[in-house]
């Protein structure tokens, strides 16, 4: 009996202490919490697609004649201009061939002149029976043969000059050029499959290719009708930090049966050559409009095992956990809310970690939610 009384006496101070703390907690003022009403506005619905960049033109520069590569006349990776000399293959042999062809052409022209003069004399001589008709015909045949020889010599000279011009490899257009694949002093063999000396990229404009499913294309047609949007946005880098405007300029005429997709191409400017062929990008394609959309800053939305949520502050200033459904990101910070929040409700705008479901707060209304 004495033990029971002793235990009860010990418990009294503990119970009194709990009561004091509870009373103190109940007497604490409600914390001030920043709240806001959702923004309601019309938005453009978009969808993102992965894609890649490719240059407007890509050309492998090859040696079209055989010989020793004498000169590499550019800095690897630099910008080059149309017509700029990039490589020089030893021209000596081809210069000699040009001179030989010129000499052969001069000989053929001299022979033609002699044959023409001889034929004219024969035509005069046959009038007085000084020569036979057969000799006249032979002279005429010599003229035709000489004319053919001149044509062959002219063609041979053109070929020799063309081969000589191939010794100089120039840029076919403005662009960025790769490093040289063949060093000066190496032998270049035109062969059946000539080795590329370098690759040049016309990259002041780039193309980006991406694929869209046939169902998405049909949905876009239903949303937009014939007025399919032409302007898209191309982004790259972490979180799409770099954005570039682009314009759709190609739609494949058929659906790929193996993937069920259509290939779409957009063209974008790249005047400073910052973007490179082969980069993977994200293409934002607008496909419709939506009126009176509820928007909340992405920073005010939490994530747990159930998905996305916000904290709502009701009329009694009590915080309530609310599961929501979200859509696309609008601009840099606002998130489309498709279900879970009405425009009249207040949500906790900041300090989500400081509140919990059922907590009483002192709401401080914010007018600017961006």
């Amino acid at each position: 009996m004495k033990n029971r009384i002793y235990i009860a006496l010990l418990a009294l101070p503990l119970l009194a202490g709990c009561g004091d703390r509870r009373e103190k907690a109940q007497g604490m003022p409600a914390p001030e919490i920043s709240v806001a009403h959702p923004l309601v506005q019309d938005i453009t619905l978009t969808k993102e697609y992965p894609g890649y960049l490719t240059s407007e033109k890509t050309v492998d520069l090859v040696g079209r004649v055989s010989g020793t590569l004498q000169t590499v006349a550019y800095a690897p990776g630099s910008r080059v201009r149309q017509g700029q000399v990039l490589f020089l293959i030893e021209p000596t042999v081809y210069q000699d061939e040009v001179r030989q062809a010129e000499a052969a052409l001069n000989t053929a022209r001299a022979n033609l002149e002699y044959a023409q003069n001889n034929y004219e004399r024969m035509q005069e001589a046959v009038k007085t029976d000084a020569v036979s008709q057969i000799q006249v015909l032979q002279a005429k045949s010599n003229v035709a043969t000489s004319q053919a020889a001149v044509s062959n010599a002219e063609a041979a000279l053109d070929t020799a000059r063309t081969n000589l011009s191939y010794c100089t490899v120039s840029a076919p257009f403005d662009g960025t050029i790769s490093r040289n694949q063949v060093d000066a002093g190496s032998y270049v063999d035109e062969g059946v499959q000539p080795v590329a000396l370098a690759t040049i990229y016309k990259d002041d404009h780039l193309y980006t290719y991406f694929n869209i499913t046939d169902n998405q294309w049909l949905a876009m047609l239903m949303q937009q009708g014939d007025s399919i949007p032409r302007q898209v946005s191309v982004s790259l880098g972490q979180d799409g930090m770099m954005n570039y405007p682009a314009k759709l300029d190609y739609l494949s005429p058929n659906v790929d049966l193996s993937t069920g997709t259509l290939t779409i191409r957009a063209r974008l400017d790249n005047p400073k050559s910052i973007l490179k062929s082969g980069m993977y990008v994200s293409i934002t394609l607008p496909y419709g409009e939506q009126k009176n959309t509820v928007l909340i800053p992405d920073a005010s939305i939490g994530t747990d095992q159930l998905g996305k949520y916000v904290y709502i502050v009701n009329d009694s200033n009590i915080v309530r956990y609310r599961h929501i459904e979200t859509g696309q990101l609008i601009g840099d910070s606002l998130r489309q809310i498709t279900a879970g929040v009405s425009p009249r409700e207040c949500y906790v705008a900041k300090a989500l970690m400081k509140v919990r479901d059922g907590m009483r707060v002192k709401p401080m209304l914010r007018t600017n939610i961006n």
Side-chain angles (χ1 to χ4, degrees):
M1 183 65 179
K2 290 181 180 180
N3 290 338
R4 291 179 182 176
I5 294 173
Y6 181 71
I7 293 172
L9 291 174
L10 288 177
L12 286 175
L14 296 176
L15 292 174
C18 291
D20 292 341
R21 285 196 295 270
R22 189 182 302 114
E23 290 174 1
K24 289 180 181 179
Q26 289 176 350
M28 290 179 62
E32 294 182 353
I33 296 296
S34 178
V35 299
H37 291 292
L39 181 66
V40 179
Q41 67 180 31
D42 300 339
I43 65 169
T44 298
L45 298 174
T46 61
K47 181 137 182 99
E48 291 190 355
Y49 299 90
Y52 62 94
L53 296 177
T54 182
S55 56
E56 189 175 3
K57 293 180 181 179
T58 302
V59 173
D60 288 333
L61 303 173
V62 299
R64 300 179 66 178
V65 291
S66 299
T68 302
L69 184 63
Q70 286 190 335
T71 305
V72 178
Y74 71 93
S78 64
R79 293 283 298 176
V80 296
R81 309 295 296 179
Q82 182 176 2
Q84 178 179 335
V85 175
L86 306 174
F87 298 95
L88 179 63
I89 299 172
E90 185 179 15
T92 305
V93 173
Y94 302 99
Q95 290 171 342
D96 292 341
E97 290 179 354
V98 169
R99 286 192 288 268
Q100 291 173 1
E102 289 174 339
L105 177 58
N106 291 333
T107 300
R109 285 173 174 171
N111 291 336
L112 174 59
E113 183 178 2
Y114 173 80
Q116 287 174 332
N117 292 335
N118 186 56
Y119 177 55
E120 291 173 357
R121 289 193 296 268
M122 288 290 183
Q123 285 180 315
E124 293 296 327
V126 76
K127 295 178 182 178
T128 59
D129 295 328
V131 294
S132 65
Q133 190 68 36
I134 294 177
Q135 289 175 305
V136 174
L137 293 175
Q138 183 63 47
K140 183 178 181 180
S141 176
N142 290 341
V143 170
T145 300
S146 298
Q147 288 175 335
V150 169
S151 297
N152 289 337
E154 290 175 340
L157 178 58
D158 289 342
T159 299
R161 287 173 174 169
T162 298
N163 287 337
L164 178 59
S165 70
Y166 289 159
C167 292
T168 302
V169 181
S170 303
F173 45 75
D174 295 353
T176 303
I177 190 168
S178 71
R179 65 181 180 87
N180 52 299
Q181 301 296 319
V182 180
D183 294 325
S186 300
Y187 185 79
V188 177
D189 187 0
E190 56 173 327
V192 178
Q193 292 183 334
V195 176
L197 303 175
T199 303
I200 183 170
Y201 301 88
K202 183 174 175 57
D203 55 1
D204 51 346
H205 296 94
L206 292 174
Y207 291 126
T208 177
Y209 290 88
F210 60 101
N211 295 317
I212 180 172
T213 65
D214 49 2
N215 288 335
Q216 291 169 342
W217 178 252
L218 291 175
M220 189 183 305
L221 289 176
M222 293 176 66
Q223 283 273 352
Q224 298 289 108
D226 294 333
S227 59
I228 298 300
R230 292 294 178 182
Q231 296 295 330
V232 298
S233 175
V234 176
S235 60
L236 70 159
Q238 188 175 6
D239 298 326
M241 295 298 292
M242 302 174 66
N243 291 283
Y244 299 86
K247 186 176 182 180
L248 299 181
D249 71 341
Y250 171 76
L251 171 68
S252 60
N254 66 299
V255 175
D256 188 326
L257 295 179
S258 61
T259 61
T261 60
L262 288 155
T263 298
I264 299 179
R265 184 180 73 184
R267 188 173 186 263
L268 64 153
D269 295 332
N270 185 36
K272 297 182 180 179
S273 300
I274 296 175
L275 303 178
K276 302 298 181 183
S277 180
M279 280 183 169
Y280 286 95
V281 295
S282 178
I283 299 94
T284 302
L285 177 65
Y287 66 89
E289 302 288 334
Q290 183 168 306
K291 304 292 184 181
N292 301 323
T293 304
V294 177
L295 302 173
I296 288 179
D298 212 31
S300 301
I301 301 173
T303 305
D304 59 16
Q305 65 270 22
L306 298 178
K308 300 291 186 180
Y309 69 89
V310 294
Y311 286 116
I312 300 296
V313 178
N314 62 19
D315 295 338
S316 301
N317 296 339
I318 302 298
V319 175
R320 293 302 180 194
Y321 169 93
R322 179 79 59 80
H323 173 69
I324 61 172
E325 295 181 10
T326 61
Q328 68 186 51
L329 188 67
I330 305 299
D332 296 329
S333 60
L334 296 178
R335 176 71 63 178
Q336 176 192 11
I337 307 300
T338 58
V341 179
S342 71
R344 295 182 179 181
E345 293 182 302
C346 285
Y347 63 90
V348 176
K350 297 177 64 176
L352 270 66
M353 299 298 293
K354 294 183 179 180
V355 299
R356 63 184 183 278
D357 187 59
M359 179 180 179
R360 182 179 295 276
V361 296
K362 181 179 180 181
M364 305 298 291
L365 185 64
R366 295 174 58 191
T367 57
N368 181 10
I369 69 171
N370 291 316

